[in-house]
Amino acid sequence: MLVTAPLLECRGIGKRYSGVTALEGVDFVLFAGEVHGLVGSNGAGKSTLMKILAGALPDFEGEVLLDGRPVNLSSPQAALGHGIAMVYQELSGIGPLSVAENLFLGRQPTAWGGRVDWGAMRRRAREYLAELDIHIDVDRRLDRYPLGIRQMIEVARGIHSGARVLILDEPTSALSLPETQRLFALIRRLRERGVAIVFISHFLEDVLEICDRVTVLRNGRRVATKGRGELDKQEVIRMMLGRDGALEEAAYSDRVRLPPRSTSPFVLRAVNLSLAGTLAEASLEVAPGECLGLYGFAGSGHREVVHLLAGALTPTGGQITLDGQPLQPGNIHQAVRRGVVMVTGDRARGLFLRGELYKNITLPHLRRAVGEWLTAGRELPVARAVLERVGCQPPEPRRLAGQLSGGNQQKVVLARWLLGPIRVLLLDEPTRGMDVAAKAEVMRWVDDRKRQGAAVVLASAEPELLLAHADRILVFRRGRIAKQWTDAWVDKAALMHWA
């Protein structure tokens, strides 16, 4: 990176919400041809700072300079006009539209008479995705693809907007290791062309691998900005937490010994579970008080297993039983009534972001939680109690779900299930996009449910998460179970080898 005058500079940035300080006096400098990491615990102010740069929060203190001149970032369109584009953690694509339409949303190529040139749009969409080594049907609806593919499409959309400054908010959170490396290769090519990239991530290994410099935020303030060579993972964690992060870090051991297999009768069993084009004859079972880990890269089928077990997807073959009795395929309401609940890392789908927290929490359990007569007065104390139990900050039930950080949104999802019975807890990337402290809080809640007798199925692309919490681990590869570990030593390298 050639260090010259800054391309972009933030001076004394401040932002407050109803008297609560989100940012205070933050300075941030970005150079052309730099990949700059931005890290901090949930609620530290990372996303707030970047939303200001992206024009999504025009009311702020301080000033932003581009090429040494103050700029007015009054809207996302204004920011794009200055060459600043942001790819958000919570996906913003329009599901019913095709992949090509999403890639060119608002900037469709036109033919004679101003009509959309559909042929050119499809052709260019295929070319854009090919640069990320993604070869999919661009005419297919976006919501027909899994989360990992939708994330890659969002990244491609930002990259090909012509941005001089590209902000990536948790871009690898839903990607497999090979997909992450393809993205990193593209980021390096963009860096060579002079594009400035802000890389927000809770995957500290990713930050230390791809970023030239790293800025740490804590409680809305900038703690430090250092070059990659001046930092290691433990030092970053200490700066993020403001204390020794050894306890959180210790949970992510490289090599662990899994316990002997449970001798308790299985509560949930799947036999020859299949989903056309995705999963082939997967059989598994889980006992009360046991955590079964499912590992694989994006598209391996491990995450689809969770959705099939929850009734969110309908299998094309196989049977699922709970306590020896069949679960109706594709019936998520029956599954919830019988105590089979799912928590997904796709919080935009799991929550009504424009609704108050108390409505999000009590909706699946209205009669059980508040009785026959539905009033806010009955719902609010119930919601506040469970928000406090999961450590949501702030535990204010009237706050809109969309106003919370990603980690606190996930705690709201967890709080929802405290109001009903949990026989089987199904987790699909439950800590996606969270910092180490928030992950520890969420997984402590999961471990508590397990100790209380819930059977847990944890699907994740994070080897560390599975090694820290699973009693058994199944590795999926191309829609099949490739390997199982129980009562044995296992490490990240072994998991990745079989995936």
Side-chain angles (χ1 to χ4, degrees):
M1 180 184 69
L2 178 63
V3 178
T4 57
L7 171 62
L8 182 144
E9 186 175 2
C10 300
R11 295 179 179 175
I13 301 297
K15 177 66 180 177
R16 289 168 178 79
Y17 296 98
S18 303
V20 177
T21 299
L23 291 172
E24 185 166 359
V26 172
D27 297 330
F28 182 80
V29 175
L30 183 66
F31 294 94
E34 174 187 27
V35 182
H36 195 133
L38 187 61
V39 300
S41 299
N42 286 314
K46 307 181 301 297
S47 294
T48 300
L49 179 60
M50 292 303 107
K51 286 177 181 178
I52 287 172
L53 291 181
L57 296 174
D59 181 20
F60 63 92
E61 301 168 5
E63 63 177 350
V64 177
L65 291 81
L66 193 66
D67 292 322
R69 296 186 296 273
V71 291
N72 179 14
L73 303 176
S74 58
S75 67
Q77 292 74 24
L80 283 171
H82 290 294
I84 302 172
M86 182 168 179
V87 177
Y88 289 91
Q89 174 186 346
E90 301 301 341
L91 306 184
S92 60
I94 301 177
L97 297 184
S98 71
V99 170
E101 289 172 303
N102 273 278
L103 282 173
F104 287 91
L105 203 60
R107 51 189 183 94
Q108 298 91 338
T110 56
W112 181 83
R115 293 174 298 176
V116 174
D117 189 337
W118 295 101
M121 185 168 68
R122 296 186 186 100
R123 183 176 63 254
R124 289 166 61 183
R126 285 189 288 268
E127 292 171 355
Y128 285 178
L129 293 177
E131 291 187 27
L132 287 176
D133 200 20
I134 302 174
H135 304 280
I136 60 176
D137 183 0
V138 299
D139 288 325
R140 191 179 182 188
R141 283 173 50 142
L142 180 67
D143 57 11
R144 295 292 187 263
Y145 285 102
L147 179 62
I149 297 298
R150 299 204 309 271
Q151 177 74 72
M152 294 289 281
I153 292 167
E154 293 253 350
V155 171
R157 180 181 170 191
I159 287 170
H160 292 289
S161 67
R164 300 170 63 200
V165 175
L166 181 64
I167 303 168
L168 303 179
D169 188 5
E170 300 290 350
T172 63
S173 62
L175 304 186
S176 67
L177 182 61
E179 289 170 326
T180 296
Q181 292 304 316
R182 286 199 294 269
L183 175 63
F184 283 0
L186 180 58
I187 287 174
R188 292 183 181 106
R189 291 198 297 272
L190 292 169
R191 176 170 55 192
E192 291 171 0
R193 300 208 309 245
V195 177
I197 298 171
V198 182
F199 189 94
I200 308 172
S201 182
H202 293 307
F203 290 106
L204 301 184
E205 295 91 345
D206 289 352
V207 172
L208 295 174
E209 177 179 348
I210 194 63
C211 297
D212 302 297
R213 292 190 301 148
V214 179
T215 290
V216 180
L217 297 182
R218 185 174 72 241
N219 298 329
R221 295 175 177 270
R222 184 175 69 90
V223 176
T225 298
K226 294 187 177 183
R228 177 175 54 188
E230 304 175 71
L231 293 168
D232 60 22
K233 184 176 180 179
Q234 193 62 38
E235 174 65 16
V236 175
I237 291 174
R238 278 194 290 267
M239 289 192 293
M240 286 170 52
L241 300 179
R243 56 186 172 86
D244 193 340
L247 291 177
E248 285 77 10
E249 181 65 10
Y252 293 85
S253 172
D254 283 340
R255 189 167 183 260
V256 301
R257 174 80 187 191
L258 299 179
R261 191 162 185 167
S262 173
T263 58
S264 300
F266 299 118
V267 62
L268 184 73
R269 184 192 296 268
V271 178
N272 295 330
L273 200 59
S274 300
L275 184 65
T278 304
L279 188 69
E281 298 183 342
S283 296
L284 54 90
E285 55 278 320
V286 59
E290 179 185 38
C291 178
L292 175 64
L294 310 181
Y295 177 72
F297 296 147
S300 67
H302 67 302
R303 298 180 62 195
E304 284 76 9
V305 169
V306 169
H307 290 255
L308 289 166
L309 295 175
L313 291 176
T314 303
T316 53
Q319 300 84 37
I320 305 171
T321 58
L322 179 71
D323 297 321
Q325 300 300 313
L327 268 179
Q328 184 178 345
N331 190 330
I332 194 168
H333 301 292
Q334 183 198 76
V336 170
R337 285 197 302 270
R338 295 180 64 181
V340 179
V341 301
M342 179 175 66
V343 174
T344 174
D346 192 353
R347 292 179 285 275
R349 289 187 171 186
L351 289 174
F352 174 43
L353 296 178
R354 287 191 243 176
E356 294 91 338
L357 299 185
Y358 77 89
K359 294 178 181 177
N360 275 278
I361 289 170
T362 61
L363 185 60
H365 316 281
L366 286 177
R367 181 170 295 179
R368 180 188 298 114
V370 300
E372 296 289 340
W373 296 98
L374 176 62
T375 66
R378 289 172 178 258
E379 291 181 87
L380 288 170
V382 170
R384 185 184 298 277
V386 292
L387 288 171
E388 291 173 348
R389 283 177 63 187
V390 298
C392 179
Q393 294 297 328
E396 174 46 60
R398 289 189 181 275
R399 180 173 287 243
L400 299 182
Q403 294 177 340
L404 299 182
S405 67
N408 282 303
Q409 287 177 1
Q410 192 68 314
K411 292 175 185 178
V412 175
V413 177
L414 299 174
R416 168 188 296 166
W417 301 121
L418 288 175
L419 297 181
I422 300 179
R423 298 294 316 287
V424 180
L425 180 60
L426 304 170
L427 305 170
D428 173 24
E429 298 288 1
T431 60
R432 183 177 73 89
M434 292 186 185
D435 62 78
V436 289
K439 285 182 181 180
E441 290 180 15
V442 166
M443 294 312 297
R444 275 195 290 271
W445 183 91
V446 171
D447 290 340
D448 285 343
R449 304 284 80 69
K450 188 177 79 166
R451 282 191 291 271
Q452 293 172 19
V456 178
V457 180
L458 171 60
S460 179
E462 292 186 55
E464 298 91 345
L465 195 68
L466 296 173
L467 293 173
H469 298 279
D471 300 301
R472 287 187 292 128
I473 299 178
L474 302 180
V475 177
F476 284 72
R477 182 172 62 206
R478 295 183 178 179
R480 294 183 180 274
I481 297 175
K483 180 70 174 178
Q484 178 175 188
W485 274 279
T486 185
D487 194 13
W489 289 97
V490 62
D491 58 20
K492 290 194 295 185
L495 292 178
M496 292 178 178
H497 171 78
W498 284 96

